[in-house]
């Protein structure tokens, strides 16, 4: 068998090979940013020498790049798990014969919750190869592999009846980031409604709202901007700062809120698509201050009466979304601030009019 360093391994079982060459190949793939291919290369080595320390470390390094660390914090988010479990039990009890589709299954937790609640058939899709492979083992270890089938692909590449025996009756998903839309929930659910779900399918979550608040916080602004330091003007480095949001726990940074929270978007996942939207707001500051950032978060309704949120003060693994302003304006209670909230179907962002335009 001849393989070049630009060729990804087609499978995890090959004839005898030179371990040193494959170690070098895996390292090359890793350096190229091809982390899944690197992980497969190292797995080939581990298939014949499961104690090879270089392969174990190389595989782990590749997986660490491919699998975000937030998975562990998410899995320990007890409120998230309890509310999804409650909502899933309600939905499955109402229709035990429902075929359940779990999109973005991760560890398989929500899929197994559906099986535990009595669902007779669950298909869990996961597009990240290493995560999907591990989910198969998790489901098998839990004893639900007779009910839960893991499909290692993105839901937008799934077909009926190729991957689903029929259109699903219950969709369960949690493909949201701190700003709600960043993992593509709008387009993913819209695609599922058209191609994978029965016309009267239950969609979980079925609604969500985005709230925003004006914030004064020098520490938060410093996470994304720099000026004169150590006798040098480092402002040109701000060309590399993020123009959109990053996640952070608001309560861990000294700050003052300069407005009441405002609802800026409302989504009904039973009908919404990924079409861009914009909302024009006139925000009345509640106190004077320097507007360094806009903090925003979501409320997400799983089923009626069961809601999840990452609002400030809630110990959610999602944290809050923070968008810093490049030039923070002064705001006054008597002068409304013109704020435009926009999303392109996947990213929420805000624009604040210059001070002279908000008077």
């Amino acid at each position: 068998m001849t393989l070049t360093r630009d060729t990804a391994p087609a499978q995890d079982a090959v004839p005898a090979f030179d371990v040193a060459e494959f170690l070098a190949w895996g390292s090359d793939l890793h350096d190229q940013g091809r982390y899944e291919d690197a992980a497969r290369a190292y797995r080939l080595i581990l298939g014949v020498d499961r104690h090879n320390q270089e392969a174990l470390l190389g595989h782990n390094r590749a997986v660490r790049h491919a699998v975000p660390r937030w998975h562990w914090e998410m899995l320990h988010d007890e409120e998230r798990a309890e509310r999804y479990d409650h909502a899933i039990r309600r939905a499955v009890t109402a229709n035990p014969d429902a075929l359940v589709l779990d999109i973005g299954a991760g560890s398989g937790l929500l899929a197994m919750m559906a099986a535990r609640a009595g669902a007779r058939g669950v298909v869990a899709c996961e597009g990240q190869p290493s995560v999907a492979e591990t989910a198969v083992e998790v489901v098998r270890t839990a004893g639900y592999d007779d009910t839960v089938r893991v499909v290692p692909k993105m839901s937008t590449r799934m077909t009926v009846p190729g991957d689903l025996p029929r259109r699903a009756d219950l969709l369960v998903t949690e493909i949201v980031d701190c700003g709600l839309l960043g993992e593509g929930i709008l387009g993913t659910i819209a695609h599922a409604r058209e191609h994978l779900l029965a016309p009267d399918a239950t969609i979980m979550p079925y609604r969500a709202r985005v709230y925003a608040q004006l914030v004064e916080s020098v520490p938060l602004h410093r996470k994304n901007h720099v000026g004169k330091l150590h006798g040098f003007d480092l402002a040109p480095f701000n060309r590399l700062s993020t123009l959109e949001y990053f996640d952070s726990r608001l309560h861990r940074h000294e700050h003052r809120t300069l407005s009441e929270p405002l609802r800026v978007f409302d989504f009904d996942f039973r009908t919404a698509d990924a079409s861009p939207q914009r909302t024009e707001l006139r925000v009345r500051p509640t106190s004077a201050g320097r507007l360094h950032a806009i903090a925003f978060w979501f409320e997400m309704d799983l089923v009626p009466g069961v809601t999840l949120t990452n609002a400030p003060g809630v110990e959610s693994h999602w944290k809050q979304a923070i968008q810093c302003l490049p030039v923070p304006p002064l705001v006054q209670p008597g002068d409304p601030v013109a704020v435009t909230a926009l999303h392109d179907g996947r990213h929420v962002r805000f624009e604040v009019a210059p001070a002279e335009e908000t008077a």
Side-chain angles (χ1 to χ4, degrees):
M1 179 178 182
T2 301
L3 292 172
T4 68
R5 290 188 181 180
D6 292 325
T7 304
Q11 54 188 22
D12 286 0
V14 297
F17 55 84
D18 186 304
V19 170
E21 183 177 345
F22 267 66
L23 284 170
W25 178 44
S27 180
D28 257 9
L29 290 170
H30 187 281
D31 291 345
Q32 293 171 35
R34 297 169 59 184
Y35 302 118
E36 281 296 339
D37 289 342
R40 282 195 288 270
Y42 289 121
R43 280 201 298 271
L44 290 172
I45 300 169
L46 294 171
V48 296
D49 181 6
R50 62 192 181 95
H51 298 297
N52 187 292
Q53 192 67 13
E54 287 185 71
L56 286 168
L57 289 172
H59 181 266
N60 185 256
R61 290 169 187 148
V63 168
R64 288 207 318 265
H65 279 284
V67 182
R69 297 298 304 170
W70 51 253
H71 278 85
W72 284 263
E73 189 173 1
M74 176 183 69
L75 291 171
H76 285 285
D77 187 335
E78 293 186 9
E79 183 175 12
R80 160 204 173 262
E82 288 172 1
R83 297 199 179 190
Y84 260 99
D85 192 33
H86 179 58
I88 288 169
R89 279 188 281 109
R90 275 179 50 180
V92 171
T93 300
N95 185 8
D97 294 322
L99 175 61
V100 181
L101 172 60
D102 177 5
I103 292 181
S107 67
L109 178 62
L110 302 187
M112 292 187 296
M113 285 178 174
R116 183 173 63 187
R120 295 182 176 89
V122 183
V123 176
C125 71
E126 171 55 55
Q128 212 289 331
S130 293
V131 175
E133 179 183 320
T134 305
V136 171
E137 184 178 350
V138 170
V139 169
R140 184 189 304 118
T141 301
Y144 286 112
D145 51 323
D146 59 339
T147 304
V148 178
R149 181 167 62 88
V150 178
V151 176
K153 61 171 65 173
M154 302 291 286
S155 66
T156 50
R157 301 186 65 183
M158 294 178 70
T159 61
V160 177
D163 300 299
L164 281 166
R166 57 182 172 84
R167 285 178 173 256
D169 307 291
L170 169 60
L171 169 65
V172 178
T173 189
E174 193 210 40
I175 48 171
V176 298
D177 70 340
C178 63
L180 184 68
L181 305 186
E183 293 188 14
I185 190 170
L186 285 177
T188 299
I189 291 183
H191 175 274
R193 289 200 314 265
E194 183 176 357
H195 298 284
L196 305 175
L197 302 181
D200 59 348
T202 298
I203 294 174
M204 182 187 306
Y206 75 99
R207 290 193 76 100
R209 298 160 295 283
V210 174
Y211 292 86
Q213 190 169 33
L214 308 186
V215 172
E216 178 183 75
S217 176
V218 171
L220 275 176
H221 198 257
R222 285 179 172 176
K223 289 174 73 73
N224 200 48
H225 294 89
V226 68
K228 292 183 178 180
L229 285 173
H230 316 297
F232 301 98
D233 186 358
L234 304 180
F237 200 76
N238 291 331
R239 297 191 196 114
L240 306 178
S241 64
T242 178
L243 297 176
E244 297 180 300
Y245 62 87
F246 54 88
D247 67 333
S248 193
R249 298 196 189 279
L250 189 59
H251 75 270
R252 291 186 178 176
H253 304 277
E254 184 179 348
H255 72 279
R256 286 196 309 128
T257 58
L258 300 178
S259 74
E260 295 296 330
L262 296 163
R263 184 188 298 195
V264 295
F265 290 118
D266 195 327
F267 302 100
D268 186 336
F269 297 126
R270 297 166 297 186
T271 57
D273 59 25
S275 299
Q277 287 181 276
R278 63 186 293 137
T279 303
E280 306 292 343
L281 304 165
R282 299 283 287 180
V283 183
R284 290 194 170 274
T286 52
S287 61
R290 181 75 66 178
L291 176 53
H292 290 109
I294 295 177
F296 60 104
W297 57 90
F298 63 79
E299 286 182 352
M300 190 165 66
D301 301 325
L302 305 183
V303 293
V306 182
T307 300
L308 270 175
T309 182
N310 63 331
V314 174
E315 284 300 320
S316 163
H317 78 277
W318 280 295
K319 308 177 186 177
Q320 289 79 52
I322 308 292
Q323 181 184 323
C324 290
L325 304 184
V327 182
L330 284 169
V331 299
Q332 300 288 340
D335 297 324
V337 180
V339 177
T340 302
L342 312 94
H343 78 77
D344 60 4
R346 196 175 182 104
H347 305 98
V348 174
R349 65 184 179 89
F350 295 86
E351 296 176 353
V352 176
E356 59 269 24
E357 296 182 20
T358 64

